[in-house]
Amino acid sequence: MPDGGSEHFAKTVRTLKALKPSILVECLTSDFRGDLEAVTHLARSGLDVYAHNVETVERLQPRVRDPRAGYAQSLAVLRAAKAAKPGLITKTSLMLGLGEQEEEVRATMRDIKAAGVDILTLGQYLQPTEHHLPVSSYVSPEQFDAWRLFGETECGFSYVAAGPLVRSSYKAGEFFIEKRLREERDQAAQH
């Protein structure tokens, strides 16, 4: 598809909103091959949460991700989504345990926040099959807690979910998002 499927996502969002205006919609998208017009189109479709996963630190991107994707391109997608619609919540996720170093994780979290991302999830990479990358290390629950604290206090994310079984679709994040969006709608209705 020339637009990478952006209109398909957007049409789905518009249809859901037409059927039930109070519904909250999050889309986890590709990077649309870096097509920022496609990103903007989807971000302005009525979407509530724009999610695109950075996946790993910059150094590991070529080994971990599809060669058509990239660190800078993912950050540009998240930045463009945030710029396209004021108030749009943006979300991304990192897998840990692929060989990243602590300073690389910190730098990545800072880069993600600089791109305007509101919500970050951090989870343990688990090797799905023997044909996938092996796990380099297992992150302790204490280290996940430290990453969550760093993300919320030092980086300024609105919400960080971090733990061995956390994924980009982590339920606690959804509850946070729903609460925040409903509060913002109520405040707007009062003014």
Side-chain angles (χ1 to χ4, degrees):
M1 295 184 206
D3 70 351
S6 174
E7 174 53 22
H8 180 74
F9 276 103
K11 185 176 182 179
T12 302
V13 171
R14 290 190 305 268
T15 301
L16 288 168
K17 292 288 189 168
L19 292 171
K20 186 170 182 182
S22 64
I23 196 168
L24 299 175
V25 181
E26 174 180 337
C27 287
L28 176 59
T29 72
S30 72
D31 60 10
F32 299 113
R33 290 181 256 149
D35 180 351
L36 299 184
E37 287 182 27
V39 171
T40 297
H41 178 66
L42 176 56
R44 292 180 178 163
S45 68
L47 186 65
D48 297 292
V49 181
Y50 194 107
H52 171 71
N53 292 338
V54 172
E55 305 290 4
T56 191
V57 299
E58 187 172 17
R59 176 180 58 84
L60 297 175
Q61 293 275 323
R63 194 174 115 224
V64 172
R65 295 182 75 190
D66 183 299
R68 294 170 292 181
Y71 188 76
Q73 187 164 290
S74 286
L75 292 174
V77 164
L78 292 161
R79 196 175 295 109
K82 182 56 98 176
K85 181 184 169 195
L88 179 67
I89 292 176
T90 51
K91 178 179 167 186
T92 195
S93 186
L94 293 175
M95 299 179 291
L96 301 178
L98 288 159
E100 65 283 338
Q101 301 298 313
E102 285 192 31
E103 187 47 48
E104 290 176 306
V105 176
R106 283 197 243 353
T108 301
M109 291 171 73
R110 287 184 194 107
D111 288 347
I112 289 168
K113 185 58 188 166
V117 173
D118 303 290
I119 296 173
L120 175 64
T121 63
L122 302 154
Q124 173 68 50
Y125 169 72
L126 299 172
Q127 184 179 12
T129 72
E130 62 185 35
H131 303 292
H132 289 81
L133 293 171
V135 174
S136 176
S137 64
Y138 289 95
V139 180
S140 71
E142 295 78 19
Q143 184 59 55
F144 274 117
D145 284 343
W147 288 130
R148 180 191 53 75
L149 190 60
F150 176 79
E152 290 177 349
T153 59
E154 297 202 31
C155 295
F157 289 103
S158 298
Y159 180 77
V160 177
L165 300 178
V166 170
R167 298 295 177 260
S168 61
S169 59
Y170 193 62
K171 294 292 183 198
E174 292 173 18
F175 296 136
F176 168 81
I177 292 166
E178 181 175 356
K179 181 177 183 279
R180 177 173 163 185
L181 287 171
R182 295 206 188 282
E183 286 172 353
E184 288 175 4
R185 285 183 184 172
D186 290 346
Q187 287 176 357
Q190 292 173 2
H191 291 85

